[in-house]
């Protein structure tokens, strides 16, 4: 069973990998690009050597072929650490299908950092924020740094994966497992759930 699960997980990860990077506009046009750079409220791209800028309003997703990463524009229902880009931004999509998990590098500036002498200085901090949602619904905050299956993360995941008893049981086993790194296993469960949900349609 574990062997079959691993094979399916690898197939799911590679199923949307492509040979070239591309952007998808809000009009559903797919445009191959040589290079891109995500900036606040703008996307800089290079198409056949020519540079062009797109606003967030014109695009809905981006694929980076070199890193094999898929970025999707999301507007979470709640953003605790809001940056200059506001509450709409491009986040890496970690799963495909019904339940979607996103990963976003949050850069928080002007946070107090210890100077080692009992005082604090103003600095910046970068960390990952994770969001979870389903298609056409604003995602919600899942957690920070990495998926560690905290009590709150477990409750949220249990709600999203509620209709499959077998995966629910595996999720519970993973929650009580004495292991710090659980992100890979969680993503694998979500991939399996999405595959099951697709077959149940």
């Amino acid at each position: 069973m574990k062997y079959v699960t691993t094979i399916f997980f690898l197939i799911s990860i590679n199923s949307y990998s492509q040979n070239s990077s591309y952007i998808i506009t809000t009009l559903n046009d797919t445009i191959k690009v040589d290079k891109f750079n995500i900036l606040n409220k703008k996307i800089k791209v290079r198409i056949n050597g020519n540079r062009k800028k797109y606003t967030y309003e014109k695009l809905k997703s981006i694929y980076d072929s070199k890193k094999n990463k898929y970025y999707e524009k999301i507007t979470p229902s709640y953003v605790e650490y809001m940056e200059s880009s506001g509450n709409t931004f491009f986040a890496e999509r970690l799963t495909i299908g019904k339940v979607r998990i996103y990963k976003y590098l949050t850069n928080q500036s002007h946070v107090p950092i210890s100077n080692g002498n009992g005082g604090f200085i103003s600095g910046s901090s970068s960390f990952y924020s994770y969001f979870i949602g389903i298609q056409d619904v604003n995602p919600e905050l899942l957690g920070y740094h990495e998926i560690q299956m905290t009590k709150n993360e477990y409750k949220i995941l249990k709600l999203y994966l509620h209709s499959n008893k077998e995966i629910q049981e595996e999720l519970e086993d993973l929650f009580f497992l004495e292991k710090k790194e659980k992100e890979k296993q969680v993503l694998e469960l979500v991939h399996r759930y999405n595959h099951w949900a697709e077959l149940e349609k």
Side-chain angles (χ1 to χ4, degrees):
M1 179 63 183
K2 288 183 178 180
Y3 176 76
V4 174
T5 299
T6 303
I7 293 295
F8 170 73
F9 179 64
L10 292 174
I11 291 173
S12 297
I13 288 293
N14 293 323
S15 63
Y16 61 90
S17 63
Q18 303 290 329
N19 294 325
S20 59
S21 299
Y22 60 82
I23 57 177
I24 299 179
T25 69
T26 51
L27 297 175
N28 289 322
D29 294 325
T30 301
I31 304 170
K32 290 184 179 180
V33 298
D34 306 322
K35 190 177 181 181
F36 70 86
N37 183 25
I38 299 178
L39 302 173
N40 291 338
K41 291 298 181 182
K42 287 186 178 68
I43 305 292
K44 284 185 177 180
V45 300
R46 191 175 66 194
I47 306 171
N48 297 325
N50 299 315
R51 296 180 180 179
K52 189 172 182 178
K53 287 182 182 178
Y54 287 89
T55 60
Y56 273 26
E57 290 75 20
K58 298 291 184 181
L59 300 179
K60 65 178 184 179
S61 57
I62 303 169
Y63 176 71
D64 186 338
S65 62
K66 290 183 179 179
K67 296 180 180 179
N68 191 22
K69 291 184 178 181
Y70 190 90
Y71 298 89
E72 195 168 287
K73 185 172 66 178
I74 63 172
T75 304
S77 54
Y78 172 72
V79 179
E80 183 175 4
Y81 300 99
M82 193 174 295
E83 301 178 13
S84 57
S85 59
N87 62 343
T88 298
F89 43 81
F90 281 86
E92 180 186 355
R93 196 177 76 187
L94 301 179
T95 63
I96 54 177
K98 181 179 180 180
V99 178
R100 301 182 178 188
I101 295 181
Y102 302 93
K103 180 179 180 181
Y104 177 69
L105 181 61
T106 302
N107 297 299
Q108 185 67 14
S109 58
H110 308 297
V111 296
I113 299 176
S114 173
N115 61 11
N117 297 317
F120 292 89
I121 59 175
S122 179
S124 61
S125 175
S126 296
F127 53 89
Y128 285 108
S129 299
Y130 287 80
F131 301 90
I132 186 170
I134 58 176
Q135 190 174 9
D136 301 324
V137 176
N138 290 353
E140 62 179 303
L141 181 66
L142 178 62
Y144 296 108
H145 303 292
E146 64 180 16
I147 302 173
Q148 301 176 1
M149 283 290 281
T150 61
K151 287 183 179 180
N152 187 59
E153 290 173 349
Y154 171 63
K155 288 179 181 178
I156 294 173
L157 285 163
K158 195 172 182 181
L159 286 174
Y160 277 90
L161 308 178
H162 73 280
S163 51
N164 186 301
K165 186 177 179 181
E166 180 182 345
I167 290 179
Q168 283 277 310
E169 291 174 353
E170 292 186 49
L171 187 68
E172 185 175 354
D173 291 341
L174 184 59
F175 173 66
F176 289 106
L177 187 66
E178 292 184 5
K179 183 179 180 181
K180 290 184 179 180
E181 297 179 4
K182 298 181 179 181
E183 184 170 312
K184 184 178 179 181
Q185 288 91 332
V186 168
L187 294 178
E188 183 178 329
L189 284 176
V190 174
H191 275 291
R192 285 174 50 206
Y193 177 86
N194 287 343
H195 179 65
W196 169 82
E198 185 68 25
L199 296 175
E200 288 292 306
K201 284 183 178 180

